[in-house]
Amino acid sequence: QVQLVESGGGLVQAGGSLRLSCAASGRLFSTYTVGWFRQAPGKDREFVAAISWSVGRTSYADSVKGRFTISRDNAKNTVYLQMNSLKPEDTAVYYCAVPPSPYYIGGASEDQYRYWGQGTQVTVSS
């Protein structure tokens, strides 16, 4: 079972950058796909990016492709979300999540994930 803690959120001007971290506990962290989701007030939670447990294959929502980069450092039990060229519409609470078991190939569907962090607030001002 993996426990997740997000950090790195804050207030940034449009066009700026932030790097979010998802720190995990669990000896088998390297075997878990990790996804990032976000939720703005009054809106449904939406998929942002994911990285596979195997060879680090990545996927992105169209809205962030080319601006955000997901990566992982298994030695540090951490997954990162580098966010560049931030826009006001990126404002949301960002969550990382993992599937219920290792070796799952997580995609963009929220129901593929079982364990969630507490979230970190990202606010982009104009």
Side-chain angles (χ1 to χ4, degrees), residues 6-117:
E6 303 96 333
S7 63
L11 176 64
V12 65
Q13 295 185 35
S17 299
L18 285 173
R19 188 176 75 161
L20 305 184
S21 297
C22 175
S25 63
R27 183 174 61 86
L28 300 179
F29 170 74
S30 64
T31 66
Y32 282 83
T33 290
V34 178
W36 282 97
F37 294 78
R38 66 187 183 186
Q39 186 169 29
K43 296 185 177 181
D44 293 334
R45 188 158 52 192
E46 65 177 353
F47 172 76
V48 177
I51 186 165
S52 72
W53 63 268
S54 56
V55 297
R57 184 173 62 252
T58 59
S59 60
Y60 298 91
D62 288 342
S63 60
V64 306
K65 188 176 179 63
R67 299 188 298 121
F68 291 10
T69 302
I70 188 171
S71 62
R72 69 191 301 160
D73 186 339
N74 290 329
K76 296 182 178 180
N77 277 13
T78 302
V79 167
Y80 304 99
L81 185 68
Q82 178 67 47
M83 306 185 296
N84 298 327
S85 301
L86 283 162
K87 305 174 181 179
E89 51 263 45
D90 295 318
T91 296
V93 177
Y94 284 70
Y95 302 88
C96 63
V98 299
S101 301
Y103 310 114
Y104 278 35
I105 302 176
S109 297
E110 182 178 334
D111 61 5
Q112 294 179 295
Y113 298 85
R114 173 68 59 80
Y115 305 106
W116 298 78

